[in-house]
Structure formats: structure tokens, C-alpha cells
Amino acid sequence: MAHSLESLFMFVEAAALGSFSAAARKLNKQQSTVSEAIANLEIDLGVTLFDRRTRRPTLTKHGKAMLIQAQQVLDASDRLSRSAHRLADGLEPTLTLVLSDTYQSNRFESVLTEFEQRYPELELECMIAEHSDVVALVQEGRAQLGLVGAQADYPPDVGFEPISERSEIGLYVSKNHPLAAVAHVTTEMLRDIRELRLNTYLDDIVERRRGLCWSSSSYLLLLEMTELGFGWAELPRWLAHRFAADNLLELKVRGWPKTLQVDAVWSRRHGLGQAGGWLLDTLLAP
């Protein structure tokens, strides 16, 4: 019994998006093509994957179980493709890496040094973005590889694996801010004071919080706002220590600082070239 990777991919996309038509639009295919591929997959597997009696197809009990297996097959295929790219001749002319400011590694400079020595003719572009913006840039093919604070979930066409280094996020205010003089700061106190909040182009994060709030898509700009005393902010600890240690105070609030996992992300559809595959494997190495 053989199942095409394309049919498995259509199945996973339809499950993630909640409809065959949405999956067809994303994959630039006819809805009938997606529906037929999933129907044939159900015949091959001998199980019903979707309950079609509802307005929108919903996964059956068997469908939920098969979804996990299908994702594992796609993961294995993705690893196989990366290995093949590394073995094949030829090198991509450019590589774009999109980084979150949550990522900081003492070995990143040495990784870049080795990368430059291995691929001296390759053009490397580095971008800064956060959260869903990182995922979208990778998903669209604008960037080939990304490093982002771990997200709750990812689109089916985006591969991801955690890297060994972790980040820490702390709460900070200017040393001249009134909060700096408070011995025991509580989360209730923070609700009444302006928050300097990270916001992204794709996620309307600010709308989720009531109260006074300024926002930016850049941690560095939030850091500057915090230094100027405009409010308190969640900031990567390495960023605050390196660029504003003399001007900021880390608040001692219960549950803070927080440890953050960082994930490497890439597009399954666009794939990684030889240099991108090497960089990913090196970043994932313990």
C-alpha cells in the first residue's frame, strides 16, 4: 500500500485549515483535486478521515490518529530531502536567515565564522522579526530559515525543531521609574501602569490586553522606551544586560524571569539548499 506525500500533505493541510476549499486555495489546486486525493487516501488506508456530514469536514477519531502518523511521515520525508540536498552538487546563491531577538547564543559567532569559511561566495541576508512574522516570512519563502521563540503551533508546511540554547525573558523598568522604588512588585500593580508590549505585523497582540499600552514590533525599540521611563516591558534578559545594564532595573515579580524555548523553522514546500541545510543542522546540534 503506497501513499503519495502529496495526498498526505493535502490531508494535513485540510485538517489544519478546517476545510478542503481552504487547503485547495493555499496549495493553489482545485477543491475537487484535494477532495479526491483525500478520498483516495481514505480508501488506501481503509478508514474514514473526515466526517463530511457537518458543514465543515471534521476529523474522525481515526482521522485524528492518522493525522499524527501523517505528520511523522512528512517530517521523515523532510529530513530525507535535507540530507539529499547536502549530498547533491550545487549551492543556493543566497540564504536569508530571519532571527528573533529572543535568540542569543555564545556560539552563534563561531557558527557564522565556519559558515563563511565553508560558503565564501554565498550571499547571506539576516533579518529581525518576532513571533508569527518569522513564521510568515519563512512560509512565504522570503526567508529560508528562521529562529523564533517557540510558538504554540505551526502551519503544516512549516518544519520546526527546538535548538539547544534557551532564552530568558525578564520584566524591566527604568531605574528612574516609580516602580523601581517598590520593594515588592505584584502583577496587580503592573496592570495599572503602562505596558510597553511587543506587537507584530500579523498578530494583534495589543488588543488582547486592556489598559494603557504602547507597542512596537522591535524589542530594541521597546528597550529604548523602557530606558526613557515610559513604562515596564518584557525584554530578553541578554538584550537588557548587553545594551542597557546601567539604565534598567529588572523587577522581581513572582514567576519571573521566564525561560523560553527557541525553535528553528523552515518551509517544507520551499525546502533548504545545501548551505541552509548545513546551517540548520549546526544550529540544532547540542
Side-chain angles (χ1 to χ4, degrees), residues 98-103 127-137 147-149 151 169 198-203 205 216-220 236 239 260:
V98 56
L99 297 160
S100 163
D101 274 328
T102 57
Y103 173 73
M127 305 174 68
I128 299 295
E130 304 296 337
H131 296 328
S132 295
D133 290 349
V134 174
V135 178
L137 287 168
L147 293 172
V148 62
Q151 305 295 287
I169 306 292
L198 183 74
N199 203 18
T200 65
Y201 295 103
L202 295 179
D203 290 330
I205 297 174
S216 171
S217 62
S218 165
Y219 272 121
L220 275 174
L239 198 71
L260 178 68

Side-chain angles (χ1 to χ4, degrees), residues 43-276:
I43 294 173
D44 289 342
L45 295 174
V47 297
T48 301
L49 300 173
F50 288 97
D51 183 350
R52 296 169 174 78
R53 294 173 298 179
T54 55
R55 187 175 65 88
R56 293 169 65 91
T58 55
L59 284 172
T60 64
K61 181 179 179 181
H62 290 155
K64 291 178 181 178
M66 289 296 99
L67 180 61
I68 297 173
Q69 300 295 326
Q71 190 64 67
Q72 290 175 348
V73 172
L74 292 175
D75 288 342
S77 174
D78 193 57
R79 289 192 295 270
L80 179 64
S81 295
R82 292 195 337 243
S83 297
H85 275 299
R86 287 195 301 273
L87 295 173
D89 292 332
L91 179 68
E92 64 268 42
T94 62
L95 176 66
T96 298
L97 174 65
V98 56
L99 297 160
S100 163
D101 274 328
T102 57
Y103 173 73
Q104 193 275 334
S105 170
N106 293 329
R107 70 186 184 98
F108 187 59
E109 291 181 2
S110 63
V111 170
L112 284 183
T113 298
E114 185 176 355
F115 181 88
E116 191 275 336
Q117 292 170 350
R118 281 176 172 265
Y119 309 106
E121 303 300 322
L122 182 141
E123 179 182 338
L124 177 66
E125 177 188 18
C126 291
M127 305 174 68
I128 299 295
E130 304 296 337
H131 296 328
S132 295
D133 290 349
V134 174
V135 178
L137 287 168
V138 169
Q139 190 177 26
E140 295 165 2
R142 175 61 182 84
Q144 287 72 54
L145 186 61
L147 293 172
V148 62
Q151 305 295 287
D153 54 68
Y154 294 93
D157 57 340
V158 172
F160 66 96
E161 286 192 40
I163 63 175
S164 57
E165 295 92 346
R166 295 193 170 225
S167 182
E168 287 188 325
I169 306 292
L171 301 182
Y172 291 88
V173 293
S174 166
K175 290 183 177 179
N176 298 320
H177 192 280
L179 270 180
V182 179
H184 301 288
V185 178
T186 66
T187 54
E188 288 74 18
M189 293 179 187
L190 295 178
R191 294 194 187 102
D192 298 325
I193 298 173
R194 181 189 291 122
E195 178 183 5
L196 307 174
R197 185 73 178 261
L198 183 74
N199 203 18
T200 65
Y201 295 103
L202 295 179
D203 290 330
D204 201 7
I205 297 174
V206 174
E207 292 300 322
R208 301 176 192 171
R209 179 186 181 271
R210 295 180 179 179
L212 191 57
C213 178
W214 287 8
S215 68
S216 171
S217 62
S218 165
Y219 272 121
L220 275 174
L221 185 52
L222 290 180
L223 183 145
E224 291 184 2
M225 291 179 179
T226 309
E227 285 186 288
L228 291 170
F230 296 148
W232 62 271
E234 299 177 13
L235 297 171
R237 296 183 83 200
W238 78 268
L239 198 71
H241 293 170
R242 178 173 296 183
F243 296 110
D246 295 335
N247 301 322
L248 295 184
L249 175 72
E250 184 172 3
L251 297 175
K252 296 181 179 179
V253 180
R254 185 176 180 181
W256 292 86
K258 293 184 177 179
T259 300
L260 178 68
Q261 176 184 306
V262 177
D263 288 344
V265 295
W266 63 93
S267 169
R268 300 186 193 279
R269 285 193 293 165
H270 297 99
L272 288 171
Q274 185 183 113

